[in-house]
Amino acid sequence: MSERVTVLVIDDDPSIRDYLHTLATRQGYGVHTATDGESALAGLDRTRPDLITLDTVLPGMDGLETLRRIKQRIPEVPVIMLSGHGQARTIVEAMRLGATDFLRKPFEVEELELAFKKALENRALEEEVKHLRGRVRSEVDALLLGGDNPRMREVREIIEQVADTDITVLIRGESGTGKEVVARALFQLGNRRNRPFVKVNCAALPSELLESELFGFEKGAFTGAQKRKLGKFEYANQGTIFLDEISEMAPGLQAKLLQVLQDGEFSRLGGEADVRVDARIIAATNRNLEEAVAKGEFREDLYYRLNVVTIQIPPLRERIDAVPLLVEHFLGMYNAQYHKSVEKLSTDTMRVLMNYHWPGNVRELENMIKRMVVLGSEQTVLQEIGQRGLSAAAPRGTDDDVDLAALGADIAAGRDLDLKAIAKRAAQIAEKKVIERVLAQTRWNRKEAAERLQISYKALLYKMKENGLSDDR
């Protein structure tokens, strides 16, 4: 929309056209006029109006047909219908065809000014929502769906399938993978996007405070409760509530959350009456909920209520092909934010980033690019990665290294070698290193590691014992 708003007045009555032209001009609008629907449609490309007033009774093509054709050409432009009759049937049909407002002639100046203001504000709001939805799609594509990883294509498909529903979604993944970005994408792309989005970090507060934060309390419920406080669920009514780190919720609160999921109601602390609420629930966790259920740390019935649709976000190290796209995205974002001009990273830096194991996932990469942009240097980040790489590497002088070094010495000295024994030992060393790497990638989640290695859980435990591997080593 240009700085000066342009109004197109379509009316066959010269006095009305002149009157509207004068009023709109006084309000600072640019004005074009047309005497009938045909000439108005023919000149749309030339006039490019931001707002249209349209009489319902016109010679030739009537106002309703003109409205229908305008909306086919420029559906985003608000149209205010004017009529000297104001029959209910005409008003209903005009609104069905997309009219923004309907004024009866004669109208007051204030009525027209208010109609103009409301129409333009609504259009600005729609454009902002459209922009925000486009930005959310861009962020999801850039932060999560970059590259051609099959698992990320699956994430994208699930988001598109369930965003417009009210179904409960459980988002799983390591810290920093972008679980909140997925939650906000589900919200912005869904049918509740014009309602509240309320985020609650279940690990940030102790159990007692979290209960009052989620469900609120009545005056006098406890010492210091001076007045009623509404909980996050009430603020999220008709909207979406995002429960981050759901696995950290205490068992007593889990039971109360289960009631909300089952019945759509709860009671405030100190309250007697139940409060009904309609909020879509999106939960996220970086823990293995199945293990938490098995240990009695998480309610099994709540787990099944939450686990209706699961979105599993893989760690960045398993979709390393997304790193270049993420780097480009974050460079653009922070260049704009800090008024810098770091266009791209050096080849050596990109090579280091592509070979790094990313324990902090996308969040870690974002913070690194942010520092590069702010400091205008890649060296501090490269040094940091180098230090982390050394600390994560296996210590020198392990039994495996000694065996391989001794083997090299035997070969160099020309000693007799037992090829079968060498092959067996080399296979053991390789097997140990692979198991150790997969365990590290899964944060020593044995069940997930066994699935990735395509062996049974018992076989993995046996091989870990055989190779002297444990998570407390």
Side-chain angles (χ1 to χ4, degrees):
M1 192 180 296
S2 61
E3 290 185 6
R4 191 183 189 201
V5 174
T6 301
V7 178
L8 172 60
V9 175
I10 309 173
D11 203 301
D12 63 325
D13 187 331
S15 61
I16 295 293
R17 281 201 314 274
D18 293 342
Y19 178 63
L20 291 173
H21 187 288
T22 301
L23 287 180
T25 303
R26 285 178 180 174
Q27 293 177 42
Y29 301 125
V31 184
H32 297 282
T33 61
T35 58
D36 53 57
E38 288 86 348
S39 61
L41 290 166
L44 279 182
D45 292 335
R46 175 180 54 83
T47 57
R48 296 182 180 179
D50 301 307
L51 177 64
I52 297 173
T53 67
L54 174 61
D55 191 15
T56 56
V57 181
L58 292 171
M61 184 190 304
D62 68 11
L64 291 177
E65 178 60 21
T66 302
L67 172 64
R68 187 183 68 80
R69 297 194 185 187
I70 287 174
K71 283 299 178 180
Q72 287 178 342
R73 294 268 300 276
I74 45 175
E76 73 282 0
V77 174
V79 179
I80 299 172
M81 300 297 291
L82 306 177
S83 175
H85 307 290
Q87 295 179 350
R89 184 170 56 84
T90 304
I91 297 174
V92 170
E93 182 63 13
M95 293 304 180
R96 188 187 69 79
L97 290 172
T100 304
D101 209 338
F102 197 105
L103 298 182
R104 289 184 176 87
K105 299 177 182 177
F107 45 81
E108 299 293 333
V109 174
E110 292 77 10
E111 286 184 88
L112 186 67
E113 290 178 348
L114 182 61
F116 278 16
K117 182 180 178 181
K118 186 169 69 172
L120 292 171
E121 285 179 349
N122 287 341
R123 182 182 178 185
L125 181 61
E126 289 172 1
E127 289 181 348
E128 183 180 359
V129 169
K130 184 178 179 181
H131 170 72
L132 287 173
R133 295 189 75 187
R135 191 175 72 182
V136 168
R137 286 187 184 275
S138 174
E139 286 183 353
V140 172
D141 287 342
L143 300 179
L144 299 171
L145 312 179
D148 194 30
N149 186 284
R151 293 176 66 186
M152 293 314 299
R153 287 201 300 270
E154 183 180 346
V155 169
R156 172 165 42 199
E157 289 170 1
I158 296 175
I159 290 175
E160 291 175 349
Q161 288 170 359
V162 305
D164 248 343
T165 71
D166 291 336
I167 201 166
T168 302
V169 178
L170 178 63
I171 306 170
R172 308 180 70 162
E174 295 177 7
S175 294
T177 49
K179 296 187 290 295
E180 184 176 344
V181 175
V182 170
R184 290 187 180 276
L186 287 167
F187 167 69
Q188 287 286 356
L189 303 176
N191 53 18
R192 296 184 180 228
R193 55 186 167 270
N194 296 323
R195 299 292 184 172
F197 178 88
V198 179
K199 177 190 173 183
V200 180
N201 188 326
C202 299
L205 296 171
S207 177
E208 299 79 10
L209 290 178
L210 181 59
E211 182 174 7
S212 64
E213 188 74 8
L214 285 172
F215 304 110
F217 55 79
E218 297 287 353
K219 179 180 178 181
F222 51 83
T223 303
Q226 302 292 335
K227 59 180 180 179
R228 172 189 286 179
K229 177 190 173 184
L230 302 184
K232 296 294 188 183
F233 266 101
E234 287 179 88
Y235 285 116
N237 192 34
Q238 302 298 317
T240 302
I241 187 166
F242 173 47
L243 302 176
D244 198 10
E245 299 192 57
I246 188 72
S247 57
E248 305 306 311
M249 185 178 285
L253 276 181
Q254 292 177 27
K256 204 162 183 177
L257 175 60
L258 181 64
Q259 181 189 5
V260 179
L261 282 165
Q262 288 177 335
D263 307 324
E265 59 184 27
F266 62 90
S267 58
R268 302 188 192 97
L269 282 173
E272 297 179 357
D274 285 334
V275 178
R276 292 204 59 81
V277 69
D278 172 24
R280 184 186 191 180
I281 295 177
I282 300 175
T285 181
N286 59 10
R287 286 185 59 192
N288 186 315
L289 285 185
E290 291 79 8
E291 286 187 359
V293 170
K295 293 177 181 178
E297 298 171 352
F298 200 83
R299 292 181 63 109
E300 186 175 18
D301 46 6
L302 177 58
Y303 166 74
Y304 287 119
R305 279 283 180 176
L306 290 172
N307 198 31
V308 179
V309 170
T310 298
I311 297 178
Q312 180 75 47
I313 309 175
L316 184 56
R317 61 182 170 272
E318 293 181 8
R319 50 189 182 97
I320 207 70
D321 59 318
V323 168
L325 180 63
L326 291 166
V327 168
E328 182 180 352
H329 172 75
F330 291 132
L331 280 176
M333 184 168 72
Y334 288 115
N335 273 328
Q337 182 173 336
Y338 295 109
H339 307 290
K340 301 288 186 176
S341 57
V342 181
E343 294 183 2
K344 62 179 181 178
L345 304 183
S346 68
T347 303
D348 290 341
T349 298
M350 285 303 303
R351 186 181 300 114
V352 171
L353 297 182
M354 293 294 288
N355 290 324
Y356 185 50
H357 61 289
W358 299 110
N361 293 294
V362 178
R363 184 185 296 127
E364 183 182 14
L365 174 60
E366 179 180 0
N367 289 335
M368 285 184 177
I369 300 302
K370 183 178 182 179
R371 286 201 297 276
M372 287 183 186
V373 171
V374 172
L375 298 176
S377 171
E378 303 172 8
Q379 292 306 310
T380 55
V381 171
L382 292 178
Q383 290 171 4
E384 180 182 332
I385 290 177
Q387 292 170 356
R388 292 184 184 182
L390 287 174
S391 65
R396 296 181 180 181
T398 62
D399 293 342
D400 298 338
D401 296 329
V402 172
D403 285 351
L404 292 174
L407 176 60
D410 288 342
I411 294 173
R415 300 187 181 96
D416 293 336
L417 301 170
D418 183 342
L419 191 58
K420 289 185 177 179
I422 292 170
K424 182 178 179 181
R425 180 56 184 153
Q428 288 177 336
I429 293 171
E431 180 180 84
K432 178 181 177 181
K433 287 185 176 296
V434 169
I435 293 173
E436 193 171 24
R437 174 172 290 185
V438 172
L439 284 167
Q441 290 176 347
T442 60
R443 297 180 183 269
W444 291 81
N445 183 323
R446 295 173 178 82
K447 183 179 179 181
E448 186 178 350
E451 291 174 353
R452 292 193 187 184
L453 293 167
Q454 299 183 31
I455 59 176
S456 69
Y457 183 79
K458 288 185 177 180
L460 175 61
L461 295 180
Y462 174 80
K463 289 183 177 293
M464 287 176 62
K465 183 178 180 181
E466 185 180 46
N467 288 291
L469 296 173
S470 64
D471 51 5
D472 59 352
R473 60 198 294 271

